Each structure stands twice: as structure tokens, then as C-alpha cells.
Amino acid sequence: MAKVFTKTKMLTDVHMHYCPGCTHGIVHRLVAESIEELGLQDKAIGIAPVGCAVFAYDYFNCDMQEAAHGRAPAVATGIKRCLPDRLVFVYQGDGDLASIGMAETVHAAARGEHITIIFINNSIYGMTGGQMAPTTLIGQKATTCQNGRDPAVNGYPIRVCELLATLDAPYYIERVSTQDVKHVLAAKKAIKKALRFQAEGRGYSFVEVLVSCPTNWHMKPVEALRFMAEETSRTFPLGVFRDKSEGREEK
Amino acid sequence: MANITIDEKVCKGCGLCANACPKNVISLSKHRMNANGYFVAEKVNPQNCIGCAFCAIMCPDCAIEVEK
């Protein structure tokens, strides 16, 4: 019998610390597999964020750099400008990218840095215990909005893909999900495409991945996937927001 | 004939594999735990496996290997 699925060599054998049912691990695998399939393992440099994925440097089998909270795109800019032949990818969560790191995120995109950003959106602060994030849905409960997010008090969720798609420089922006097998396979395609665009020197690429957080959503893992399919992806519609390779602007 | 191998040391018993399996090959154990205290996923109908690898694609911890 031939092996049809085995763990990629781009991931180390360290056991991941994520909660049971958290789909962070799936996204780690997709990024790792994409780099391996592109044959860029020796050239890859990852930037780990602050947040749930803070230990990402233990899991990826390539050079990794930890950045201060929210500053990963700035660190990536420095590394890419010093070593332009490397593949620099940034792995950030929503508290890191859309809250404290919003300035770095927007300006790196506006400058059109040749980096790839993988944005993990679980619409809550996971590591710190379930506080409201900039991406928390209207009506969704969190420890800092216990009756559900109220737009009159807490404002509205930020849609980062749509925001960055108003800028001229980004080359590729897409939002994908990990709600089921079909969407995970589509996410793999998007991540691989984003990394390939960078390797070809085309420009800034950004992939937002919707991820579940069963612990802080207070759901079972399978229920959390259903919530993601029915609720999260309604506020954050999936799709390609920018793909200059097809000569298409916004969809 | 297809076969899956579940690494029980890594499994966290989240059940996403069992949810993804179209042939009900996998189920969470009701009695057996691993060292971390999770009820691990186990094969209950191994003869039904078609090697589609849906379980491995959904496993967040890369605990499943698939052969076909």
C-alpha cells in the first residue's frame, strides 16, 4: 500500500499546544505543505506573532523569528529587504494583526512589501481568555462583552480583506475558511498561490483564514465548525478580493 | 483496501476526523485515554475505509496517516 497522506517534513515532531478542535493546526499544516511543495524549505523564513500561535517557531521546520506584539509585518519588511531572495511569511492572529498591529499591517500593505501574510481570524482573543477582538461578530459573547457585542457600545467588526483591498499595492488578497474538507482544500490552494506570488517577486499577498475557537466560543469542536460555516462566514464573506495575476481588481 | 493509522500520543480527541469521515470508520473511544487525558479517536469499522484522507485533512494535529 502506498502512503496517500503523511505528515509533511516542514513541521517538526513537537506536539502542538493548541486546544482540542482548534483548526490552527490545520493552517500550520497547509502553510508547511505549500512551502514544501514549492521546494522553498531552505529559503523560508517565518515570523511568529504574539497570541495563540506564539510558539509557531517550535512547529515550523524552517528559520523563524518572533516579533513583538503586532509588529510582525515590520519585522518581515526588514528581513525581506535585507534578504530579498528568501520567502518571508508572517503568521498572525486577529488580536495581533487587526488590533495592536493594524498600523504595521496597513502600511506594509500600502508599501506593497514582497511578503506573505497568513491572517488567522477566530473572531476572539484566544490566548488571553476570550476577550472581544476587533473581529468579534455582532451579538457574539466574550468576557468583555458578556451580553454579546453591541454596536452602539463596541462598534462593528473590522473586515481586514475589504480594508486592504482599497489600497493600490497589494497583489493578492483572499479570504478562506477551515469549516470542512472542501474549504480546507481551497484554503491550501490560496495559501500556495500567495506564497508562489511572493517567490515570483510579484508583491504583497494576504490570505485571511477563518478558524474556530471551541474553548472561548464555549462550543464542541464540531459545533464550532458549524458556527463558522453559518455565522462567521456571513459577516466575513469568503472570496478573492484582489488578484492582479488575472488582471482583475475587486470581485 | 485502504488503511489509516492514528497516532494516539498526539490525538486530542476533538472528533473532527470522525465528523469528516464519510464511511463512519472512526469514532472517539468511550473508555481509553492517552497520557494527556484525552479520549482518543479509534477505528471502529476499518473494513469500510476508502482512503479518501478526509480525516487526515481535518486533523489539526497531523495524527493520522493514510495508506491506499
Side-chain angles (χ1 to χ4, degrees), chain A residues 1-13 28-30 32-34 36-37 188, chain B residues 3-7 51-57 59 61-68:
Chain A
M1 285 195 286
K3 289 209 165 131
V4 289
F5 189 98
T6 183
K7 187 173 174 175
T8 165
K9 291 192 178 64
M10 259 296 290
L11 288 176
T12 60
D13 287 332
H28 276 29
R29 180 176 63 75
L30 299 181
E33 281 180 353
S34 303
E36 193 185 23
E37 286 168 20
K188 164 97 182 273
Chain B
N3 184 37
I4 57 168
T5 315
I6 301 170
D7 184 350
C52 64
F54 280 14
C55 51
I57 288 167
C59 178
D61 293 284
C62 299
I64 304 177
E65 267 194 0
V66 187
E67 293 169 306
K68 198 174 178 181

Side-chain angles (χ1 to χ4, degrees), chain A residues 1-8 11 15-26 29 178-181 184-185 221-222 225-226, chain B residues 1-3 7 9-10 12-16 19-20 36 38 51-62 64-68:
Chain A
M1 285 195 286
K3 289 209 165 131
V4 289
F5 189 98
T6 183
K7 187 173 174 175
T8 165
L11 288 176
H15 294 186
M16 292 188 197
H17 72 283
Y18 300 115
C19 306
C22 168
T23 51
H24 249 300
I26 299 181
R29 180 176 63 75
T178 51
Q179 67 206 39
D180 54 31
V181 175
V184 170
L185 294 174
V222 176
L225 291 190
R226 204 174 304 131
Chain B
M1 179 67 192
N3 184 37
D7 184 350
K9 289 199 295 291
V10 183
K12 291 179 185 151
C14 66
L16 296 190
N19 180 55
N36 294 326
Y38 295 121
C52 64
F54 280 14
C55 51
I57 288 167
M58 284 311 283
C59 178
D61 293 284
C62 299
I64 304 177
E65 267 194 0
V66 187
E67 293 169 306
K68 198 174 178 181

